[in-house]
Amino acid sequence: MKKRIAILGGGLAGLAAAVELVTQLADSKQNDHCCPDVNSEIVILEKRAALGGRTNSFRDPVTGLEMDNSPHVFLGCYHQTRRFLQRIGSEPLLRFQSRLTVPFLHPQRGKALLRVCGLPAPLHLLAALIGYRHLSWSQRCEVLHAGIAMHRLKELNSESTWDKLTVSEWLHQQRQSLGTQQAFWNVLTLATLNNVPERVSFLQLLRVFKIGFLGGVEDSQLGLSTVSLQKLIGIPAGKFLQRHQVSIRLRCAVKKIETTWKSSHSGGQVQHLLLQSGEKLPVDWVISTLPFSSLRRILPDGIEKNWPESRHLWNFTSEPIISVNLVFNRHITDLPFAALLQTHLAQWLFNRNLNWDSVPSEYHYLSVVISGAGEWIDWPNEAILQKVLDDLEKFFPVVKSVHLLRARVVKEREATLASLPGVESLRFPTVTPICNLFLAGDWTATGLPATMEGAVRSGVQCAQKLLEQYADGNS
């Protein structure tokens, strides 16, 4: 009799879990290891009409252009993500810089590059700071001082301490001036943690700095997709999984997880999944990759009695991101992407004509990103659009004279877990008191902030834990 493994959610974490499962099961069949029968049924239940989750795309009906829900940047240190893309065959569609090079645009001072050299870490960052002229020499010394301090910190020995501290509080301890914080640290914190230093746990910035910037030149490389996110992730992952007989059920939402409990000490077990259609789906294992806001709605009523930690699902909050897609009739810039300083709303600019290989020459397609967008998420789209256009005119005066053919504002209200101080201690492990229920997602305890790499890492960990449980006879 076939065993059924149900994966809830077809985003990055769910797809990574499914790819890891089929890969491990195929290897086990070849090596005759003890794992669930290779003919076990793996089913992905996704409420949307396509795979990919928050890394998705849509086709604009007016221009026919594909548009991402939000531009995503890949880092060289995203090792699990790159391995996942290699497995599904789309990793060659990423284009990485030879070394980290970020253009920063200032309305009065023009362009400055933050560009690392080929020296070993952390000397490569020293060279980048020396050449970054949007900071004064005294400000560069301040950033260097803070970077050295981070390099010396032992994260694992003091997680609880660093998690309770905001980035702003730590920067104050390091005597970072207000000008340095605004010109450098605010930009870095918003880009990596989706909020301002006053609201973000210092532990998360420390992790970003150590993994992404102190790990070496290759780890700090930036990569952009040459195709839409749907073509990079959702479509090739779906084809890979279907070739391995994984069942993919789209527009299929779970209404409730139905469990049985012998006692609060012996743990529970998922018996069925009640779907929105009314169907009861028997399952042997469940990997939930749903956002915390969705998971708390489908857990059994009164679950806190047997699983007290589940109440922490109500302690999490999300941070939104707004993306503004702009299609002009004329050329605006030759920059592939840039950070924008001293603006009202616009923070990052992506030039789709240079990033992607499929934009028709009659269009000049730009995407603008607004991170930490809680203050503006409920603004009318027209007001957001006007502020963004006003920002772009500061850097590209030609915006005043070209014709805007199309504008689409995309609001991702639950883009990332809010990395508030103290949240790290509440993030959920992979294994739960419900013996056949595993948790994945960028909001779980991945050891990373809420990133694509964290999502993929969590899905891989879930698959490995499930297989270990079977091998140990604990199912």
Side-chain angles (χ1 to χ4, degrees):
M1 184 176 180
K2 285 187 176 182
K3 299 285 188 180
R4 177 177 288 138
I5 303 170
I7 298 175
L8 312 188
L12 263 179
L15 295 174
V19 169
E20 183 70 15
L21 280 172
V22 298
T23 303
Q24 293 287 346
L25 291 173
D27 291 345
S28 297
K29 183 180 180 182
Q30 284 185 336
N31 299 322
D32 198 28
H33 289 166
C34 179
C35 272
D37 190 331
V38 74
N39 293 317
S40 296
E41 179 188 6
I42 301 173
V43 56
I44 296 177
L45 307 177
E46 168 55 51
K47 71 175 183 179
R48 303 192 196 199
L51 298 174
R54 283 166 287 163
T55 52
N56 61 45
S57 313
F58 60 92
R59 188 169 294 280
D60 177 57
V62 175
T63 61
L65 293 172
E66 285 187 286
M67 296 181 174
D68 288 343
N69 67 320
S70 180
H72 285 61
V73 175
F74 296 78
L75 291 176
C77 61
Y78 283 10
H79 302 301
Q80 294 274 18
T81 304
R82 296 180 71 173
R83 188 179 72 150
F84 162 74
L85 294 176
Q86 286 170 358
R87 284 177 167 176
I88 64 174
S90 63
E91 205 265 348
L93 297 175
L94 291 180
R95 184 182 295 142
F96 277 89
Q97 299 174 329
S98 58
R99 61 186 64 174
L100 174 68
T101 305
V102 182
F104 285 80
L105 305 186
H106 190 284
Q108 287 79 45
R109 302 174 193 163
K111 182 177 74 171
L113 293 179
L114 187 69
R115 179 181 174 85
V116 305
C117 67
L119 293 173
L123 295 178
H124 66 310
L125 293 180
L126 174 60
L129 278 176
I130 290 174
Y132 183 57
R133 61 183 181 84
H134 282 338
L135 294 178
S136 68
W137 282 108
S138 62
Q139 289 175 326
R140 287 176 237 193
C141 289
E142 288 179 26
V143 174
L144 178 61
H145 168 77
I148 292 172
M150 279 197 213
H151 185 53
R152 290 174 175 170
L153 290 177
K154 303 296 183 184
E155 171 196 331
L156 295 178
N157 296 336
S158 307
E159 277 201 357
S160 60
T161 301
W162 305 136
D163 187 38
K164 294 174 184 176
L165 205 64
T166 67
V167 171
S168 183
E169 289 169 339
W170 187 84
L171 293 175
H172 180 72
Q173 291 178 4
Q174 303 303 313
R175 300 185 178 182
Q176 303 289 292
S177 66
L178 181 61
T180 302
Q181 292 186 45
Q182 292 175 341
F184 185 83
W185 295 110
N186 284 22
V187 178
L188 178 63
T189 306
L190 272 168
T192 57
L193 300 175
N194 195 25
N195 213 324
V196 292
E198 293 80 9
R199 286 179 49 83
V200 172
S201 161
F202 171 65
L203 173 64
Q204 304 306 330
L205 182 65
L206 179 60
R207 287 173 169 175
V208 168
F209 212 77
K210 282 183 173 289
I211 296 171
F213 299 104
L214 295 177
V217 174
E218 291 184 357
D219 283 345
S220 65
Q221 291 172 335
L222 291 184
L224 296 173
S225 176
T226 60
V227 295
S228 69
L229 289 173
Q230 195 65 32
K231 289 180 178 176
L232 179 74
I233 297 170
I235 293 174
K239 290 180 178 178
F240 175 90
L241 294 171
Q242 287 175 333
R243 287 198 302 270
H244 289 81
Q245 286 76 54
V246 174
S247 174
I248 299 171
R249 298 179 61 174
L250 302 176
R251 297 188 179 90
C252 183
V254 176
K255 184 177 182 180
K256 217 70 177 174
I257 296 175
E258 298 186 342
T259 60
T260 58
W261 291 79
K262 294 180 180 179
S263 70
S264 59
H265 300 292
S266 60
Q269 186 169 1
V270 180
Q271 298 291 331
H272 298 88
L273 297 174
L274 177 61
L275 307 184
Q276 289 287 359
S277 63
E279 177 187 354
K280 272 194 171 185
L281 185 70
V283 292
D284 296 283
W285 291 280
V286 176
I287 294 177
S288 172
T289 70
L290 301 176
F292 58 85
S293 56
S294 299
L295 177 61
R296 63 194 181 196
R297 288 195 293 266
I298 67 171
L299 285 174
D301 298 331
I303 187 68
E304 300 90 346
K305 180 176 66 175
N306 293 313
W307 184 9
E309 292 80 10
S310 65
R311 69 183 186 278
H312 294 316
L313 288 168
W314 279 261
N315 297 126
F316 297 132
T317 55
S318 297
E319 293 294 348
I321 291 177
I322 299 174
S323 300
V324 182
N325 296 283
L326 304 167
V327 182
F328 296 97
N329 69 329
R330 282 173 49 198
H331 180 80
I332 304 296
T333 178
D334 288 323
L335 291 171
F337 70 97
L340 307 178
L341 305 176
Q342 300 290 314
T343 60
H344 295 294
L345 293 185
Q347 297 161 0
W348 290 88
L349 173 74
F350 294 86
N351 187 342
R352 294 310 200 183
N353 287 67
L354 296 181
N355 303 153
W356 290 358
D357 299 329
S358 60
V359 179
S361 58
E362 64 265 27
Y363 295 138
H364 194 74
Y365 174 21
L366 304 178
S367 290
V368 174
V369 177
I370 307 166
S371 298
E375 182 179 347
W376 309 290
I377 196 69
D378 291 320
W379 277 24
N381 289 352
E382 295 77 10
I384 294 172
L385 173 61
Q386 189 57 55
K387 285 289 187 185
V388 167
L389 290 173
D390 291 344
D391 285 337
L392 291 183
E393 287 178 10
K394 297 177 184 177
F395 308 101
F396 312 107
V398 69
V399 169
K400 297 179 182 178
S401 58
V402 299
H403 181 49
L404 180 63
L405 301 174
R406 183 66 166 158
R408 292 288 297 269
V409 177
V410 180
K411 297 176 178 179
E412 192 74 54
R413 291 182 177 271
E414 297 184 353
T416 63
L417 171 71
S419 298
L420 302 175
V423 163
E424 182 63 27
S425 63
L426 305 180
R427 295 172 77 177
F428 282 47
T430 299
V431 178
T432 74
I434 303 173
C435 66
N436 60 341
L437 172 65
F438 302 87
L439 300 182
D442 61 7
W443 61 273
T444 60
T446 64
L448 296 171
T451 57
M452 289 187 288
E453 178 71 0
V456 173
R457 180 187 288 190
S458 70
V460 171
Q461 288 175 344
C462 268
Q464 293 172 346
K465 287 289 184 183
L466 187 154
L467 297 175
E468 286 173 11
Q469 185 191 85
Y470 183 89
D472 292 341
N474 294 323
S475 59

